[in-house]
Amino acid sequence: MDSSSSLYCSDLLLEIFSRCSLKSVDKSKIISKVCNDILYEPIFIEYHRKKTGTIYGYIFQSSFKSSYRSSFVSPDDVRSTFVLDFLPRNSKILASSNQGILCCITMERKERFYVCKPTTRQIQMLPNPKLRYETYNVAMVVLQSSPLRYKIVRLSRVQTRSEHCTYLCEIFDSKICVWEEYKILLPIQVLICEETIFVSGRSHWLLSDNRILCFDLESMTYTIFTSPAGVRDKDDKFQSLIKLVQYRGKLGLIFNKFGSDFEIWELEDYKCQVWKKIKKFSAEGAKKEEPYCFPHAIGLYSGNIALMEGGKYFFYNFEDSNVWAAKLDHHVTYPTNVFPFRSDLEPVDLRGR
């Protein structure tokens, strides 16, 4: 196929996919590499948002005097069609999913876990996990859309006198509506240090010793493997940053050493744990936006646009070095959490029936 035919084919696929539902879009990613690449391009996200009303962006959350406030942000500065004023009083967002469903907890009097879909203003209360242990990390993944099935992963640290750092891992499965418990044992000096990345039915956390913890949500077992060799020296923790991301459907990471360019790595072979450097891109545009800070990646909005944080938040296209400010609402100052958010406008049965 010549270049003109290939371009026509790509344009035709873009036009078709931009009219599909989120469910169809996600299924189409596994058709071929060409389809997968198209569906992670910024232009697809723009077309899909305009033609279907699908919402893409991030929810920023801040706390003030034990109350929580949020603001939605996207690179095109399109304000979302939803607000969170329908949630129970003093609610805190704990996790987001790729289907527009949030896991939250109400902090008013008696704490209570629940899920909600902001675009349709739906709420479903859940049974609580063991709240006697302080919540350390929460993540959520939608396993199927019809009927809805999702799992919530809650980590809490358990104080023990053993030689291990013990985490209680509680898994909520909407299909059976119960929490199940599992223990994760790490060396005493090793901690889980950032939020979860879900890929291929597994949750992943970056550890403080630069390794990656993987928890399989089907077998309910965990493994630990290394990040790319040479990405970060153990003695260089304060001069470089690693951010786990989902890169075009695979586990990836963004590496940024102080004063150098950014690198994107992809776990090319999951079974053999083989990493591949995908690209290296200039940090000049980010440095110009934040000349007195050390900009670092918060997450990937698309295949080549990252949400960055320096002295402020901004979107950075590492292909052409363009920058867009992330305009937060005035009541959200000094965000403590940032959640990726993607949602359609269709009601869903949150009970999974």
Side-chain angles (χ1 to χ4, degrees), residues 9 19 25 37 52-53 67 125 138 140 150 173 193 233 240 265 322 337:
C9 182
R19 300 176 184 274
V25 166
D37 289 345
T52 66
S67 64
M125 293 295 175
V138 178
M140 182 180 186
Y150 57 86
D173 188 339
C193 58
D233 297 328
S240 58
W265 291 74
N322 282 336
N337 305 99

Side-chain angles (χ1 to χ4, degrees), residues 4-68:
S4 60
S5 297
S6 178
L7 182 61
Y8 173 77
C9 182
S10 296
D11 289 344
L12 182 60
L13 287 173
L14 178 63
E15 182 65 26
I16 293 172
F17 289 146
S18 65
R19 300 176 184 274
C20 292
S21 65
L22 273 184
K23 180 180 177 180
S24 297
V25 166
D26 289 339
K27 286 184 176 181
S28 299
K29 291 176 180 177
I30 63 175
I31 294 176
S32 68
K33 185 180 184 302
V34 171
C35 293
N36 187 68
D37 289 345
I38 290 173
L39 296 173
Y40 281 102
E41 289 300 319
I43 191 171
F44 164 74
I45 295 176
E46 180 183 354
Y47 281 15
H48 194 236
R49 178 186 59 78
K50 289 180 178 179
K51 294 182 180 181
T52 66
T54 302
I55 295 172
Y56 293 86
Y58 291 86
I59 296 177
F60 287 72
Q61 179 174 253
S62 66
S63 61
F64 179 72
K65 293 183 178 180
S66 299
S67 64
Y68 297 89

Side-chain angles (χ1 to χ4, degrees), residues 40-174:
Y40 281 102
E41 289 300 319
I43 191 171
F44 164 74
I45 295 176
E46 180 183 354
Y47 281 15
H48 194 236
R49 178 186 59 78
K50 289 180 178 179
K51 294 182 180 181
T52 66
T54 302
I55 295 172
Y56 293 86
Y58 291 86
I59 296 177
F60 287 72
Q61 179 174 253
S62 66
S63 61
F64 179 72
K65 293 183 178 180
S66 299
S67 64
Y68 297 89
R69 301 171 180 177
S70 62
S71 173
F72 177 82
V73 171
S74 66
D76 47 22
D77 198 30
V78 173
R79 295 299 170 181
S80 67
T81 57
F82 70 88
V83 290
L84 300 178
D85 58 359
F86 70 100
L87 299 183
R89 185 177 176 182
N90 200 18
S91 286
K92 178 183 180 181
I93 301 172
L94 298 176
S96 64
S97 71
N98 62 354
Q99 296 292 335
I101 300 173
L102 305 178
C103 175
C104 306
I105 185 172
T106 173
M107 309 295 288
E108 192 73 15
R109 296 182 181 178
K110 187 177 180 180
E111 295 180 353
R112 183 71 184 273
F113 269 62
Y114 66 92
V115 293
C116 68
K117 185 169 184 179
T119 56
T120 56
R121 302 174 72 87
Q122 294 173 273
I123 294 177
Q124 178 64 44
M125 293 295 175
L126 302 178
N128 280 340
K130 291 187 175 180
L131 294 177
R132 67 176 177 270
Y133 300 121
E134 184 178 357
T135 300
Y136 187 83
N137 188 287
V138 178
M140 182 180 186
V141 60
V142 172
L143 301 176
Q144 65 182 43
S145 300
S146 182
L148 178 67
R149 186 187 178 191
Y150 57 86
K151 286 190 177 183
I152 299 170
V153 180
R154 176 181 180 261
L155 290 181
S156 52
R157 287 195 61 185
V158 180
Q159 299 296 328
T160 66
R161 296 183 179 180
S162 70
E163 59 184 9
H164 295 96
C165 180
T166 304
Y167 287 88
L168 180 65
C169 181
E170 297 169 277
I171 311 290
F172 177 83
D173 188 339
S174 64

Side-chain angles (χ1 to χ4, degrees), residues 172-276:
F172 177 83
D173 188 339
S174 64
K175 185 176 181 179
I176 57 177
C177 203
V178 296
W179 293 88
E180 297 180 320
E181 295 182 13
Y182 305 88
K183 285 189 176 180
I184 297 176
L185 302 179
L186 300 176
I188 192 65
Q189 298 297 327
V190 178
L191 301 174
I192 295 173
C193 58
E194 68 170 39
E195 68 273 12
T196 307
I197 298 297
F198 279 109
V199 176
S200 302
R202 304 175 182 94
S203 55
H204 304 83
W205 296 273
L206 183 66
L207 302 177
S208 57
D209 66 354
N210 200 29
R211 294 183 297 168
I212 296 168
L213 171 65
C214 170
F215 193 97
D216 192 310
L217 293 178
E218 183 174 348
S219 65
M220 298 301 180
T221 58
Y222 68 91
T223 56
I224 297 175
F225 57 91
T226 60
S227 54
V231 160
R232 183 177 71 179
D233 297 328
K234 292 183 179 179
D235 297 330
D236 191 30
K237 294 181 180 178
F238 301 104
Q239 295 298 317
S240 58
L241 289 171
I242 289 178
K243 179 69 178 178
L244 286 186
V245 295
Q246 185 185 110
Y247 180 74
R248 299 184 182 273
K250 293 185 177 182
L251 181 66
L253 62 81
I254 299 178
F255 169 65
N256 178 214
K257 190 170 183 178
F258 182 74
S260 70
D261 293 337
F262 292 89
E263 296 175 0
I264 294 183
W265 291 74
E266 173 188 279
L267 189 58
E268 185 179 38
D269 188 325
Y270 209 109
K271 185 177 181 180
C272 299
Q273 298 169 3
V274 176
W275 290 89
K276 178 182 179 182

